[in-house]
Amino acid sequence: MKKVLILLGCPESPIQAPITLYLSYKLREKDYRVTVTANPAALRLLEVADPARAYLDKTSDLDSTIDSLSKAEYDLLFGFIHNDAALTYFITFKSILEVPSIAIIFGRDAEIIDTLEKEVKENTDSHIVSVRAHHNPNPLKVRIDKLLEELED
Amino acid sequence: MKKVLILLGCPESPIQAPITLYLSYKLREKDYRVTVTANPAALRLLEVADPARAYLDKTSDLDSTIDSLSKAEYDLLFGFIHNDAALTYFITFKSILEVPSIAIIFGRDAEIIDTLEKEVKENTDSHIVSVRAHHNPNPLKVRIDKLLEELED
């Protein structure tokens, strides 16, 4: 069974927690083992939204995860990136894991998205999903559905 | 079986969708029939976060709900209120339904919370839960748990 790590940014985006639960659900349907790592507030949002644990598998605190992370500990890395802090964590996780990775870049500001995208391209060989989205999760959901279809091949 | 209507505000608060799923789950455990009404973006957040419908029961568009709403159509009204628009909708729903209601007032700004609380008190006889909370859902979850315990009596 393949292991996926999903890395979240800070919790201020209203679409991050909903889309994370959706992605976790879809990956588990494909028999991935899913671990979500984030700061405590972002994890609490997920846990409150999923009280019966219908969608989440494992969750783990960001700083303790990074402290004990080793090469190829997971088979695939997803990162939700909507600011510099999340970008920095993503590059760090990617450089330690050295596994295929997918950067999900989103937010309301097209310029910030462009900058984040450029940084991910310069610093990693990640597959990039980049969408202007803040309140409405649909544009991001559509792109993630497409990505998940390609994962199957 | 008692019928509850949960009214949401606009989707910009990151805790609204997670707490709504939690509240819907807890109310359904107590054998309430739960309908959530909100604008399309806020509903999409809930639907994306709950792809297997583990927590949501019925959802309905805000404007069409208000158009067809009649007195005592639901037994209990919950309203999530973090700005003036949500406050206005809540007062309107309450005045049409004329049933017991609970106003959940939250946000990051203590002054805005105070003003919203004052307005709810002046315009309705609602029970009020008021909490400063923006990223971290815990303060609101604790208050909602307490409220749900009292509902049982």
Side-chain angles (χ1 to χ4, degrees):
Chain A
M1 191 182 273
K2 286 196 170 183
K3 288 160 69 185
V4 177
L5 182 65
I6 303 177
L7 165 68
L8 304 191
C10 342
E12 73 255 28
S13 161
I15 66 175
Q16 183 176 263
I19 283 282
T20 300
L21 293 177
Y22 180 77
L23 177 62
S24 177
Y25 171 68
K26 287 289 181 180
L27 288 169
R28 290 179 69 188
E29 272 192 336
K30 288 180 190 295
D31 276 337
Y32 282 89
R33 279 224 58 189
V34 179
T35 299
V36 180
T37 186
N39 72 26
L43 286 185
R44 284 303 292 153
L45 282 179
L46 294 177
E47 287 159 356
V48 165
D50 186 21
R53 289 278 184 157
Y55 307 122
L56 291 171
D57 187 0
K58 216 180 137 195
T59 59
S60 84
D61 175 70
L62 190 55
D63 288 322
S64 58
T65 303
I66 209 164
D67 281 348
S68 63
L69 196 68
S70 57
K71 185 176 165 179
E73 190 178 338
Y74 297 88
D75 301 290
L76 184 60
L77 169 69
F78 278 85
F80 282 89
I81 302 171
H82 64 93
N83 62 15
D84 281 344
L87 172 72
T88 304
Y89 272 111
F90 181 73
I91 294 170
T92 307
F93 273 81
K94 166 77 183 167
S95 72
I96 297 172
L97 286 172
E98 296 181 27
V99 295
S101 61
I102 294 151
I104 299 167
I105 300 169
F106 65 107
R108 67 171 108 199
D109 184 320
E111 258 182 68
I112 293 175
I113 292 173
D114 284 350
T115 308
L116 292 170
E117 202 176 325
K118 216 178 121 196
E119 292 279 341
V120 170
K121 272 185 195 152
E122 274 172 16
N123 290 284
T124 75
D125 59 357
S126 299
H127 181 86
I128 294 176
V129 172
S130 160
V131 182
R132 252 190 93 198
H134 184 61
H135 290 166
N136 185 342
N138 263 21
L140 199 45
K141 178 180 172 290
V142 167
R143 295 290 302 276
I144 284 174
D145 283 339
K146 194 162 165 276
L147 182 84
L148 290 169
E149 269 172 41
E150 287 161 10
L151 265 190
E152 247 157 339
D153 304 336
Chain B
M1 192 181 273
K2 287 200 169 179
K3 287 160 69 185
V4 178
L5 183 65
I6 303 177
L7 165 69
L8 304 191
C10 342
E12 72 256 28
S13 160
I15 66 175
Q16 183 176 260
I19 283 282
T20 301
L21 293 176
Y22 180 77
L23 177 61
S24 176
Y25 172 69
K26 287 288 181 180
L27 288 169
R28 291 179 70 189
E29 272 191 335
K30 288 180 190 295
D31 276 336
Y32 283 91
R33 276 223 61 187
V34 179
T35 300
V36 179
T37 186
N39 72 27
L43 286 185
R44 283 304 291 152
L45 281 180
L46 293 177
E47 287 159 358
V48 165
D50 186 22
R53 290 278 184 156
Y55 307 122
L56 292 171
D57 189 357
K58 215 181 138 195
T59 58
S60 85
D61 175 70
L62 189 55
D63 288 322
S64 59
T65 303
I66 209 163
D67 281 348
S68 64
L69 196 68
S70 58
K71 185 176 164 179
E73 189 179 337
Y74 297 89
D75 302 290
L76 184 60
L77 169 68
F78 278 85
F80 283 89
I81 302 171
H82 64 93
N83 62 15
D84 281 344
L87 171 71
T88 305
Y89 272 110
F90 181 74
I91 293 170
T92 307
F93 272 80
K94 167 76 183 166
S95 72
I96 298 172
L97 285 172
E98 295 181 26
V99 295
S101 62
I102 294 151
I104 299 167
I105 300 169
F106 65 107
R108 66 171 108 198
D109 185 317
E111 259 182 68
I112 294 174
I113 292 173
D114 284 351
T115 308
L116 292 170
E117 202 176 325
K118 216 178 122 198
E119 293 278 341
V120 170
K121 272 185 195 151
E122 275 171 16
N123 290 284
T124 75
D125 60 355
S126 299
H127 182 86
I128 294 175
V129 172
S130 158
V131 182
R132 251 192 94 198
H134 183 63
H135 290 165
N136 186 342
N138 263 21
L140 199 44
K141 178 181 174 288
V142 167
R143 295 290 301 277
I144 284 175
D145 283 338
K146 194 162 165 279
L147 182 84
L148 290 168
E149 269 172 40
E150 289 161 10
L151 265 190
E152 249 159 339
D153 305 335

